[in-house]
Amino acid sequence: MNFSPFFLSAELGLITTIVLFVMVIPMVYGIHFFSGKWAPIWKALASLPLILPPTVLGYYLLIALRPDGWVAQLTGLELAFSFEGLVVGSALYSLPFMLTPILTAIENLPDSYEEAAFTLGKNRWQTYTRVLLPCVKPSLLAASVLTFAHTIGEFGVILMIGGNIPDETRVASIAIYHEVEALHYATADRYALILLGFSLVVLLGVYGKRLN
Amino acid sequence: MLSLSINHPLQFAGSKGALTVKMTIRPGETLAIMGPSGAGKTSLLRAVAGLLKPREGQVTWQDETWLDTSQKRFLPPYKRSVGFAFQDYALFPHLTIRENLRFALAPIREDAKVDELITLVQLTDFADQKPAHLSGGQQQRAALARALIRKPNVLLLDEPFSALDGVLRHKMQTVLRDYLKRFQPAMLLVSHDPKEVARLADGLMIMENGKMRQMGTPGELLAQDPIEKLSGKIIELGENSMVVLTDLGVVRLPFRPSRGEVGDEMEVPFDLEKGL
């Protein structure tokens, strides 16, 4: 059995999780402190991938990232059908899984925490990094684990912008599809079982942690 | 001198109104604020701290302008020299009591000052515990210490001793009185305890529906007010009423406390002239 699709999936999941974590921390800061009455618009935009069919997002990304697309024209980077393109697509598609749990946890903290920090001379960023984020540490962990797991399970977006290139874009979910198409059901079975087990372990980890 | 003149729309017990207050407090002076729940006492403290941005008005400390809506000037709370003891304590749950106090001084680390205040509020044995492991009274003392530690020019205390029993309350009032004498901040103290007000305050403002109803010295105003409080135990709780057993007998009150169960101690308003 070829394990390279799993290594590729793990690499994609890890990189996407790190990229999203780094992106979402300032995004939540901006939405929480500065968006005011516009907050619902930002939240809706960030949650769009939750309800948008993956093929729709994948299609728009393909148009943007293809060799003659506007991203290539602006930056010179050809991201379609490359691993880097998968990272861009995964980051967009998994954004709500990282952003929503952290933002919700921050918004559920009592207002008096940040007000107390303000009256102790700490500005918004200091309050955010030294009070609010440490108070929601379990949510940071849960958001990261869910993002990683969700990225591992992606299919539609990946297929649209990455295709099915061995060792480049053929991640585990695509490999299952590939094996089924080739009527290699035994291999597909094993791949599927591994992904199922992985998903269960991740969810047990998240909910077990919450129960604790 | 802390000088304040504000006007801000607010909701009072479901009806619309406005917080309209004008006052001055000199350094070293304490103004107590009393009044029924929802009178705007906490909102007034929040406006001074900059946690509430009044629609109209000015707030100045000495020659510093903290708020001037006519010039669109608003100094954010973290740039104002204030100490705020919140009614719900607002201690940071991920930090120990010692770390909560250090946080207030950071980036400067003055452990001697932290230890001195922890000793003053009698929390030496609990300094390395997180707030969740402390009782309400201990948390309240920690919150008071944290509000004092930066030696702010303006001290805003929202019922700072409400969770303390009589003896400890008296001790903490003494600590606060010594602190006021030493560092001379201007202080606004929200309280429901006439004895506390008489002991700590130079002036007393009675608020109602966001407005100042009376202003004077505690001696003048508390003598006029025939309402006292009597301790009792809740023996029955209805949907909008409760029955309380006091030393003077059983009394049915046409409201119920926001928190509390049968058997809990509570204070019953007692009119010196009319009785229960």
Side-chain angles (χ1 to χ4, degrees), chain B residues 52-107:
Chain B
L52 179 153
K53 199 172 175 180
R55 188 173 287 177
E56 287 175 341
Q58 289 87 35
V59 179
T60 58
W61 164 256
Q62 309 291 45
D63 52 359
E64 262 179 40
T65 303
W66 287 359
L67 171 84
D68 188 344
T69 50
S70 64
Q71 293 182 20
K72 292 190 175 165
R73 181 166 169 73
F74 175 75
L75 195 69
Y78 47 86
K79 290 189 177 168
R80 303 181 185 197
S81 176
V82 295
F84 202 130
F86 291 79
Q87 215 173 355
D88 67 352
Y89 323 137
L91 293 167
F92 306 131
H94 62 295
L95 300 179
T96 64
I97 298 307
R98 192 188 300 282
E99 288 166 343
N100 262 277
L101 267 69
R102 272 190 197 146
F103 175 91
L105 295 172

